Amino acid sequence: MKQIILSLLIIPQLFIASGSRSGDTPAPSAFLLRSAPPVVRINQIGYLPTGVKVAVWGGPDNVVVREFSLVDSATGQSVFTGYPARAYGAYGPFGQTYRLNFSAFRTPGTYYIQTPSARSPYFRIAPDVYKGAADFCLRYLRQQRCGFNPFLKDSCHTADGYTLYGPMPDSTRINAIGGWHDASDYLQYSTTSANTVYHLLAAYRDFPKVFGDAHASTGLPGANGAPDVLDEARWGLDWLLRMHPQDDWLFNQIADDRDHRGMRLPRLDSFYGRGHERPVYFCSGEPQVQGVKYKKMNRSTGVASTAGKFASAFALGHTLLRDSDAAYAKALLAKAHSAYKLGVAKPGVQQTASVMSPYIYAEDNWSDDMELAAAELFGLTREQRFYRQGWEYAAMEPVTPWLGKDTANHYQWYPFINLGHYELAKRAKGKDRNNLTGFLTAGIERVRVKAEQNAFFRGVPFIWCSNNLTAAFAIQCYWYGMLTGRDHFAELAQANVDWLFGCNPWGTSMVYGLPAHGDTAVDPHSAFTHIGNYPIDGGLVDGPVYGTIYGSLIGIKLAEADEYAAFQSPLVVYHDDYGDYSTNEPTMDGTAALIYLLALKENEGLTTEASTRRPAR
């Protein structure tokens, strides 16, 4: 749960007394409007030689860009001249914008882009620009570990937890130690954790060559003969097994919004009235508390949204671990079947619970989760009933509802894309495969129509966790290409990758410390950095929000002068500042999706490198 709750709890008088924004929060009208200086924004990681290569020029509306040069940084000589196809007009802080496409140039090297009014930073073109990026982002997940934390070399939350809402008496003690903390708080959600596990497993399944082995299963330095990505996924699987301890028991979350009463390092957590023991909420399939003083209950209707995610993670874990640890894999397969059975028996959503405020993860869809689980179980068993059921679930939600929309509630449609469509399509043939691919295409097209109206090709809405949606949407575009063999959405997919790494109005990477030489997030809303002065290497921050959202939030006070002030706008806002909990808080599930995306891009580079080495015939 994100830190808006913290602000409401700390300064409720601002909310009650005025019902409006804090005086510390600038209204959208205070932002500079289309007066930003000319700049050229790039993907700071760099570009693959055979891939799409686009930069974006933004500046005042009275400046025209008729051509641009790609300049060799070593010689100062122009190696390519390009001509923008069109002016895209105003966007955010810019009065005019252009896309600068240099995809035709493929020679590796270090370059910059020069226009008469602005020059870009240096960047590389090379097959290895993404090398090590996925492994780098695993650092953040190791830092988020609960139980034994290898980053701190200390343990936390070792008494979790006592049950609520279950068939057993409330306060029954169960072993729920482990897993990952959700974000800068220390809540733990089964839905985000299972989604994280699945993305890590899928990244290794699809791109095994990109991952290294530098850490033990504990997360401490030292190779153990297994890739680090599988070690991390297994850490999550171990916790999911504890959260599904018997066939008819499934738990949804550890802790609640009482967590948000202040920042502290994990081992100092004592906010629940029972020492260091925290509540563990059962998947009851029925409404649970959503803010006591608001006299609300959440809209839970079943358990399938959680059960489906468990089942798919367990099934894929079985597939990848059965050769290296047969006994463990067998246990995962049994749990995959029991979790799936619970989802079939109780269709619907299990939303999260809160005690002190009305804010929750209010997931509204579940058929996508059960579709993915059915697809994985069909792949394992080849039983046609799973295939038929997967198709029934697929038809319930052909297109993930936020695609093409301007807004959505927080985590309303989760995961952010339909992973089940891709996995079922891989196992389908003929008309079935075409129909499933068509579902993915329809969602992409809805975003494309909006994206091609601006120079950044931005069609993802600026809601909370917009970066998570950005990474997920890029993956859906690439999956389309894998299923069809077509590159119809290649430029759109790359634009979303580029956005995350600096081709955005602020010119900054949204990933802490990546790339090492670039302008990246350095002051996130995180206790690790703010209290411990620890880096959160590889963490993907929430991302930009609409100016209207930012202007309505309570309690935001930037800790330092805004280095991106010239690039804020009524449209969209981003701050690399601890005080902005809305745009600069990292999340573990968003980082996991990014790990998959970066593994995909690194693998693309390996493929490019191999093709250039292949002897001509």
Side-chain angles (χ1 to χ4, degrees):
M1 187 69 66
K2 308 305 173 240
Q3 293 296 329
I4 185 172
I5 298 172
L6 171 63
S7 302
L8 289 172
L9 295 175
I10 291 175
I11 53 167
Q13 69 276 11
L14 290 174
F15 181 75
I16 296 170
S18 66
S20 62
R21 65 179 65 89
S22 164
D24 295 321
T25 305
S29 60
F31 298 141
L32 296 173
L33 178 59
R34 296 178 181 171
S35 58
V39 292
V40 176
R41 299 310 198 193
I42 59 165
N43 180 336
Q44 297 177 91
I45 282 186
Y47 299 87
L48 296 172
T50 60
V52 174
K53 294 180 281 295
V54 177
V56 173
W57 180 97
D61 59 7
N62 60 349
V63 179
V64 177
V65 179
R66 293 188 173 88
E67 67 177 39
F68 67 94
S69 297
L70 183 67
V71 180
D72 187 309
S73 65
T75 66
Q77 299 298 309
S78 175
V79 295
F80 176 86
T81 300
Y83 306 91
R86 55 169 284 199
Y88 280 84
Y91 188 81
F94 304 115
Q96 185 60 274
T97 52
Y98 294 87
R99 287 180 69 75
L100 312 181
N101 193 319
F102 53 104
S103 300
F105 186 84
R106 298 187 172 191
T107 305
T110 301
Y111 305 94
Y112 61 87
I113 288 174
Q114 182 73 62
T115 74
S117 57
R119 169 177 162 173
S120 78
Y122 291 162
F123 59 86
R124 293 175 62 228
I125 298 174
D128 65 349
V129 292
Y130 290 96
K131 185 177 181 179
D135 267 339
F136 180 81
C137 291
L138 284 172
R139 297 186 190 184
Y140 178 68
L141 289 180
R142 284 192 289 272
Q143 191 180 67
Q144 290 295 102
R145 285 193 185 189
C146 188
F148 177 70
N149 186 294
F151 184 87
L152 297 173
K153 296 182 177 62
D154 199 354
S155 295
C156 65
H157 303 115
T158 56
D160 289 340
Y162 62 93
T163 65
L164 294 174
Y165 288 104
M168 69 294 292
D170 278 355
S171 297
T172 297
R173 175 74 167 80
I174 68 163
N175 177 9
I177 301 168
W180 300 287
H181 303 128
D182 184 59
S184 292
D185 50 57
Y186 304 128
L187 285 84
Q188 295 176 249
Y189 297 109
S190 294
T191 52
T192 55
S193 297
N195 187 42
T196 294
V197 168
Y198 189 88
H199 275 86
L200 296 179
L201 292 171
Y204 179 72
R205 176 199 63 195
D206 294 346
F207 316 110
K209 294 180 180 179
V210 311
F211 292 103
D213 174 21
H215 295 81
S217 61
T218 59
L220 294 171
N224 66 339
D228 293 340
V229 67
L230 283 188
D231 287 334
E232 206 57 38
R234 185 157 177 168
W235 183 266
L237 284 168
D238 289 345
W239 183 73
L240 293 178
L241 289 170
R242 297 188 187 105
M243 296 292 277
H244 182 35
Q246 60 187 55
D247 287 356
D248 58 346
W249 284 16
L250 190 67
F251 291 91
N252 201 47
Q253 72 184 72
I254 295 180
D256 51 52
D257 60 321
R258 285 172 285 180
D259 186 282
H260 295 144
R261 286 179 291 180
M263 284 285 188
R264 71 279 177 209
L265 291 176
R267 60 186 174 81
L268 301 178
D269 194 350
S270 59
F271 285 175
Y272 296 90
R274 296 171 61 98
H276 294 286
E277 189 177 13
R278 301 185 297 172
V280 187
Y281 288 80
F282 189 78
C283 281
S284 64
E286 298 175 351
Q288 298 179 2
V289 65
Q290 187 178 342
V292 172
K293 73 175 183 177
Y294 297 92
K295 298 181 179 179
K296 292 184 66 176
M297 300 291 279
N298 67 25
R299 302 188 315 278
S300 294
T301 59
V303 305
S305 59
T306 301
K309 294 183 182 74
F310 271 75
S312 56
F314 289 148
L316 185 53
H318 169 84
T319 299
L320 296 179
L321 297 173
R322 57 190 169 191
D323 291 336
S324 60
D325 192 338
Y328 185 77
K330 183 178 180 181
L332 291 177
L333 182 58
K335 294 296 186 181
H337 281 287
S338 59
Y340 184 79
K341 185 176 180 181
L342 285 174
V344 171
K346 293 186 176 181
V349 293
Q350 178 69 63
Q351 298 184 342
T352 63
S354 64
V355 173
M356 302 181 71
S357 76
Y359 299 102
I360 60 171
Y361 284 1
E363 187 173 359
D364 274 344
N365 61 337
W366 58 270
S367 59
D368 56 334
D369 302 307
M370 292 298 290
E371 179 189 353
L372 177 61
E376 290 295 344
L377 287 170
F378 172 68
L380 278 174
T381 67
R382 310 311 295 182
E383 292 183 29
Q384 287 299 312
R385 65 184 177 101
F386 290 122
Y387 184 80
R388 291 193 302 270
Q389 290 168 356
W391 248 108
E392 291 171 3
Y393 292 128
M396 292 181 186
E397 189 182 277
V399 177
T400 304
W402 73 263
L403 292 167
K405 301 289 182 62
D406 291 322
T407 189
N409 293 327
H410 189 52
Y411 276 59
Q412 183 177 8
W413 314 113
Y414 187 76
F416 302 113
I417 56 172
N418 192 320
L419 288 74
H421 285 348
Y422 176 61
E423 293 301 326
L424 200 59
K426 289 195 308 185
R427 298 169 170 91
K429 297 179 181 179
K431 184 179 178 180
D432 283 358
R433 183 182 177 98
N434 290 338
N435 286 338
L436 287 161
T437 303
F439 294 162
L440 293 174
T441 306
I444 296 171
E445 284 288 355
R446 292 180 185 181
V447 176
R448 182 193 62 79
V449 169
K450 299 173 70 69
E452 292 185 356
Q453 297 175 19
N454 65 80
F456 289 99
F457 272 24
R458 189 69 187 170
V460 173
F462 294 117
I463 58 177
W464 274 25
C465 294
S466 65
N467 282 343
N468 295 10
L469 273 67
T470 299
F473 177 69
I475 291 170
Q476 180 160 324
C477 292
Y478 285 117
W479 280 348
Y480 164 86
M482 293 175 190
L483 289 170
T484 66
R486 300 177 61 198
D487 62 358
H488 185 59
F489 298 116
E491 187 171 354
L492 180 59
Q494 187 62 49
N496 282 270
V497 177
D498 295 344
W499 175 276
L500 293 175
F501 293 102
C503 195
N504 54 55
W506 310 272
T508 189
S509 168
M510 302 289 173
V511 182
Y512 191 105
L514 187 66
H517 61 271
D519 183 313
T520 79
V522 295
D523 189 19
H525 189 77
S526 168
F528 273 90
T529 54
H530 191 66
I531 295 175
N533 293 317
Y534 300 127
I536 56 162
D537 288 345
L540 175 68
V541 299
D542 279 341
V545 297
Y546 288 116
T548 51
I549 291 178
Y550 178 76
S552 67
L553 295 176
I554 298 170
I556 288 183
K557 182 177 181 180
L558 301 186
E560 298 179 353
D562 181 9
E563 66 266 47
Y564 304 122
F567 303 103
Q568 312 296 5
S569 71
L571 173 66
V572 62
V573 179
Y574 168 75
H575 297 108
D576 181 19
D577 192 294
Y578 168 79
D580 185 354
Y581 54 79
S582 66
T583 70
N584 209 36
E585 181 180 5
T587 64
M588 57 96 169
D589 58 322
T591 301
L594 180 68
I595 288 168
Y596 183 96
L597 183 59
L598 289 172
L600 182 155
K601 297 302 295 182
E602 182 173 346
N603 188 74
E604 187 180 335
L606 291 175
T607 303
T608 299
E609 192 169 28
S611 66
T612 59
R613 291 176 179 173
R614 193 176 297 123
R617 295 189 178 184

